[in-house]
């Protein structure tokens, strides 16, 4: 059991840190972005250095006080929102935002955990490199949070998840010791993969304070297309054809449903949609090529092949960057449209690619048996990652569905599990999905996770209650 | 402390397993390929199924008997060679070689740990896919060993290390429970990354019995070139130019030194070398492209650009697959040439790419101060991975250098450490580099590794003495 923060503990913490390191909680900074809970904080620490983080961790560890690391606060599963138990010390990374070093020759850079993702992208661009992690909250999320949650986003198909973009870490461990692991090597087989264990552990095994990130050459020519397909199977066949035709140049392959496009038409009429009638299923393909290749030409060739194979019935190809951004704007506004309509329940799932064409209609049928609902199924099809969100039928109020919300979620997650999928593809477990983890995760893996937590954080001070139930 | 295998334990093991599962050690199967040690085995088990592996593990765990998993036995750091302590039960995977399932649409396949790497490659090719892991021992190493050691090889630059090629694992844990983790998802953020913790743990945290592997589209056009550069800096500049010019199509970028080519001339005159005089430094570039692109044309364009920039002085481009194989034959025979000459000490190191041009001459100078030696420095430059091997000067006998072997190794490893490198880039720790790990690894990481080992294998039965000192 953890201890509450006492006045004596606060005095000791204050005495050990430079003036101004501790402050009260700011209005709203610990609110769940989806409005379900508000996070507790006995105090917020805003350290300037790894050593200060280590001091805080050491004192909390000695006193048995919980620590919750805070990045941009954009996580969707309450990983940063400790809403029960003794109020913890929240460590905000708002002052640890430095880009410590950039190595363009090595395609690597070292950044502090508090760097905002957009600033990391910009620092890479400043040396003519690409840091490919890209997601809706990039203007406010911080790289430490992206690493802690192994964030996914729009470019996973080509560049991988956040863990694939990280070469090394600096981590403050539960007892306040510092692992200096900011290597910038592509190959290093000297012992267990502590880096990947920390990434995605959501602050429960260590506090990430800095990271070495991988950079990539910037594609020199980019273009996007939206192709209309008959159904999800058509989208998957198109993906295979695209991979065979244009190879590694596919940066993103996003599926959109007519339901989601209708939400845009209804609530965001200013978003320019490419087709007169919203197609039931369409795919956004983004190409980024190096050298002399012409992405428009390749997309046109792909369209012709796909049309000849009766995989696509209509399509548009961007002729310039403005058009490409317009296409992306459609995709990027889908979550906004969803919020405008108001979902009954939202799900971030992944399914083995070849089973998606069966999964989607089976899920829709099962859900419609529960009530009068619409399903907006969209997302990162190239990765098998669907956002499978359930809404009231047109004209109905989401409040009428409060009593079936639990059943809706269980229906989607049970089916996902039956299809060998994951009930959290990219958002993580946080505090929202602890029970899901207990229900669906392999029991031997779960036991191993508990042993590892016990080994690295025996007092359970690190982000208590996230991922695993608090001790 | 582990217990020796008793006749009673052997009886219990025999009774719990199908007839013929246990056998005596075969001649040579536990020999270190570099001839330093011979492995001990109280008995060799050759299970046919994961359940049989689990039974063996459970009984060993209960009795406190050590287990050494055995793949192809090709590891170079004694990971499979338990040469001290009580003779363990060796689990050979020679009967668990099935390809359980192939999913071409998903670019995934499920294989058992005993499948020989070459057979895995062939199973992928049979469905027109590529499994890109490729290394010298591919004809005899087994995929379970590749995973346990996170093998590197020739295509890491493009496709990553073995861990990057694995989507899921089935693992028998120390106590004989089975983690059923054969997911085939690109995105799954449901808890700690046990998969990557197992990969590269060299059988000390669990016994890998099967894996879901990633497949890739096969490049449709391939070509290779060997370009002559002035020095390692020239090779690194050429790599950057190649990445900017031809992008992701570079499958391999291997540096060769004149010392290594001279060894071929001297001991393997049948290997066709492309230049009349062996260049001091040259680079093998392999391109694999999809779609309509012409790799010869791209290599020619690269040569012209590089020549204009005075980065390359000479070069050859393969005009057909036979020539491409001839170029690769040069690279692939370098380790054979090394064995023919006989090294004083061999090293598998990685260095941050931008520091390699300083590292190589500094290392040569320091080593030549120790004795009359030649250095063959070659390898996977694109990954910063050098094989930095030290030989007697021409006409000298390696026996004359026995007394400086330790100093040579320490010189290379100290310098590698000073350059923020790794003393084991791709071969792992095994039993050979346990002391190196203790000397060079970050102490906080080392402490975390020991805690994790204790948590997942409290009795220390799994591959005792590998990676970490036996309890």
């Amino acid at each position: 059991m953890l201890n509450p923060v006492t006045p004596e503990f606060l005095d000791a913490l204050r005495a050990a840190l430079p003036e101004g390191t501790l402050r009260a909680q700011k209005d709203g900074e610990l609110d769940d972005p989806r409005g379900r809970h508000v996070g507790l904080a006995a105090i917020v620490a805003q350290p300037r250095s790894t050593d200060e983080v280590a001091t805080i961790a050491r004192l909390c560890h000695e006193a048995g006080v919980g620590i919750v690391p805070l990045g941009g606060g954009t996580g969707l599963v309450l990983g940063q929102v400790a809403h029960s138990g003794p109020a913890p010390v929240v460590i905000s990374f708002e002052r640890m935002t430095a880009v410590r070093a950039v190595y363009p020759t090595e395609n690597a850079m070292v950044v502090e955990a508090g760097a905002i993702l957009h600033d990391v992208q910009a620092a890479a661009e400043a040396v003519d490199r690409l840091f490919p992690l890209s997601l809706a909250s990039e203007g406010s999320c911080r790289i430490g949070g992206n690493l802690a949650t192994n964030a996914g986003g729009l470019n996973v198909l080509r560049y991988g998840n956040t863990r694939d973009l990280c070469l090394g870490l600096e981590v403050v461990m539960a007892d306040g010791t510092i692992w200096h692991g900011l290597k910038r090597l592509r190959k290093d087989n000297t012992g267990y993969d502590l880096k990947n264990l920390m990434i995605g552990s959501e602050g429960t095994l260590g506090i990430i304070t800095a990271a070495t990130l991988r950079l990539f050459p910037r594609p020199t020519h980019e273009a996007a297309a939206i192709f209309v397909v008959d159904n999800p199977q058509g989208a998957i066949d198109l993906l295979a054809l695209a991979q065979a035709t244009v190879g590694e140049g596919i940066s993103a392959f996003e599926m959109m449903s007519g339901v989601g496009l209708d939400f845009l038409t209804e609530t965001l009429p200013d978003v320019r949609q490419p087709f007169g009638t919203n197609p039931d299923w369409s795919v956004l393909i983004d190409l980024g090529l190096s050298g002399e290749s012409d992405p428009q030409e390749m997309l046109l060739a792909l369209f012709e092949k796909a049309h000849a194979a009766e995989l696509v019935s209509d399509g548009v190809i961007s002729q310039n960057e403005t058009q490409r951004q317009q296409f992306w704007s459609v995709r990027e506004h889908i979550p906004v449209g969803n919020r405008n309509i108001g979902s009954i329940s939202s799900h971030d799932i992944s399914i083995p690619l070849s089973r998606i064409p069966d999964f989607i209609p089976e899920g829709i049928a099962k859900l419609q048996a529960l009530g009068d609902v619409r399903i907006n199924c969209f997302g990162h099809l190239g990765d098998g990652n669907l956002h499978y969100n359930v809404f009231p039928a047109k004209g109905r109020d989401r409040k009428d569905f409060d009593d079936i919300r639990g059943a809706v979620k269980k229906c989607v997650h049970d089916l996902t599990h039956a299809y060998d999928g994951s009930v959290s593809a990219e958002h993580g477990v946080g505090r929202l999905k602890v029970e899901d983890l207990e229900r669906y995760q392999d029991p031997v893996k779960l036991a191993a996770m508990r042993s590892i937590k016990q080994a690295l954080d025996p007092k359970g001070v690190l982000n208590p209650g996230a991922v695993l139930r608090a001790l």
Side-chain angles (χ1 to χ4, degrees), chain A:
Chain A
M1 275 296 293
L2 293 173
N3 296 317
V5 168
T6 61
E8 295 71 33
F9 175 75
L10 271 188
D11 287 346
L13 202 56
R14 195 168 280 116
L17 294 163
E19 206 179 316
T21 304
L22 301 182
R23 64 165 171 81
Q25 183 175 342
K26 287 181 199 161
D27 214 35
E29 77 177 328
L30 294 175
D31 292 5
D32 166 25
R34 287 193 173 152
R36 286 160 298 208
H37 291 281
V38 175
L40 304 168
I43 195 85
V44 176
Q46 38 185 7
R48 284 185 184 82
S49 70
T50 303
D51 283 342
E52 289 176 22
V53 176
T55 298
I56 298 163
R58 181 172 51 77
L59 292 174
C60 287
H61 188 255
E62 284 169 10
V65 164
I67 298 171
V68 173
L70 179 65
T74 60
L76 295 172
V77 290
L78 305 175
Q80 74 282 26
V81 181
H83 54 80
S84 64
V89 172
V90 168
I91 301 183
S92 165
F93 281 87
E94 65 202 76
R95 286 174 167 177
M96 288 183 64
T97 61
V99 174
R100 289 195 192 159
V102 185
Y103 305 92
T105 316
E106 298 182 17
N107 283 313
M109 69 194 292
V110 179
V111 300
E112 290 185 338
I116 287 179
L117 175 53
H118 182 266
D119 296 336
V120 175
Q121 295 166 342
E125 191 170 353
V127 294
D128 195 29
R129 293 292 184 278
L130 176 72
F131 181 66
L133 183 65
S134 174
L135 53 153
S137 59
E138 63 195 26
S140 53
C141 64
R142 297 179 192 271
I143 193 70
N146 299 140
L147 288 157
T149 60
N150 185 33
L154 297 167
N155 293 323
V156 174
L157 177 65
R158 180 167 187 169
Y159 299 102
N161 293 289
T162 302
R163 70 170 74 259
D164 302 302
L165 306 175
C166 178
L167 295 171
L169 289 179
E170 179 187 83
V171 176
V172 171
M173 308 295 284
D175 63 359
T177 55
I178 302 171
W179 169 36
H180 296 283
L182 289 175
K183 295 268 184 190
R184 44 185 217 269
L185 304 170
R186 308 284 153 156
K187 284 170 133 179
D188 179 14
N189 275 347
T190 52
Y192 303 159
D193 189 355
L194 196 58
K195 180 188 78 185
N196 276 309
L197 188 63
M198 289 293 164
I199 296 173
S201 71
E202 305 184 32
T204 66
L205 298 179
I207 306 165
I208 295 170
T209 52
T212 311
L213 303 176
R214 283 182 72 181
L215 304 179
F216 294 81
R218 294 188 78 75
T220 47
H221 304 292
E222 293 176 301
I226 300 181
F227 290 171
V228 176
V229 293
D230 281 349
N231 47 41
Q233 182 65 56
I236 287 168
D237 293 342
L238 178 62
L239 173 63
L241 184 68
Q243 285 174 327
T245 310
V246 301
E248 280 86 358
I250 307 167
S251 300
F253 194 92
E254 299 283 313
M255 186 170 72
M256 300 182 284
S257 85
V259 175
L261 299 181
D262 290 347
F263 289 176
L264 296 188
T265 306
E266 191 180 331
T267 73
L268 294 164
D270 288 346
V271 174
R272 260 178 95 146
Q273 295 207 45
F275 304 106
T277 308
N278 291 334
D280 283 348
W281 297 102
S282 57
V283 166
L284 170 66
I285 308 174
D286 199 48
L287 285 197
L289 305 172
S290 309
E292 315 299 318
S293 315
D294 180 342
Q296 271 104 8
E297 218 169 78
M298 289 178 102
L299 286 168
L300 187 60
L302 175 63
F303 179 81
E304 283 166 359
K305 275 193 196 178
H307 195 259
E310 297 185 2
L311 285 176
V312 306
S313 58
D314 200 355
V316 286
I317 295 169
S318 70
Q319 296 306 309
N320 50 49
E321 184 58 21
T322 307
Q323 281 190 348
R324 176 169 169 262
Q325 291 305 332
Q326 276 171 7
F327 294 176
W328 269 109
S329 172
V330 175
R331 167 64 185 85
E332 284 167 353
H333 277 94
I334 289 175
V336 186
N338 288 346
R339 277 197 293 278
N340 291 344
I341 298 291
S343 77
I344 300 166
S345 184
S346 299
H347 313 94
D348 163 45
I349 59 176
S350 62
I351 302 286
L353 201 61
S354 65
R355 305 197 71 188
I356 285 178
D358 292 334
F359 175 88
I360 290 177
E362 187 174 341
I364 291 175
K366 276 190 196 306
L367 287 165
Q368 288 179 338
L370 292 176
D372 196 8
V373 299
R374 291 179 288 183
I375 289 94
N376 183 14
C377 170
F378 67 102
H380 319 303
L381 186 73
D383 318 316
N385 180 190
L386 302 175
H387 296 299
Y388 198 86
N389 297 353
V390 184
F391 297 86
K394 195 156 178 153
R396 297 286 303 275
D397 192 307
R398 67 194 286 208
K399 286 199 194 95
D400 303 343
F401 296 84
D402 280 348
D403 56 330
I404 65 160
R405 178 165 297 121
V408 163
K409 183 180 136 183
K410 188 162 183 303
C411 171
V412 174
H413 285 181
D414 280 355
L415 193 65
T416 300
H417 186 63
Y419 272 77
D420 284 328
S422 166
V423 299
S424 186
E426 59 176 7
H427 294 167
V429 177
R431 290 171 177 82
L432 185 68
K433 295 189 177 179
V434 171
E435 276 183 41
D436 290 312
L437 194 74
E438 290 172 352
R439 182 176 300 124
Y440 300 112
Q441 186 53 274
D442 179 90
V444 172
K445 175 168 171 180
L446 204 52
M449 284 173 57
R450 290 190 179 115
S451 298
I452 291 166
K453 171 73 174 176
Q454 174 69 30
L456 296 184
D457 180 20
K459 290 186 168 184
V461 295
L462 294 177
N463 210 3
V467 185
L468 296 170
R469 213 170 275 275
L471 299 176

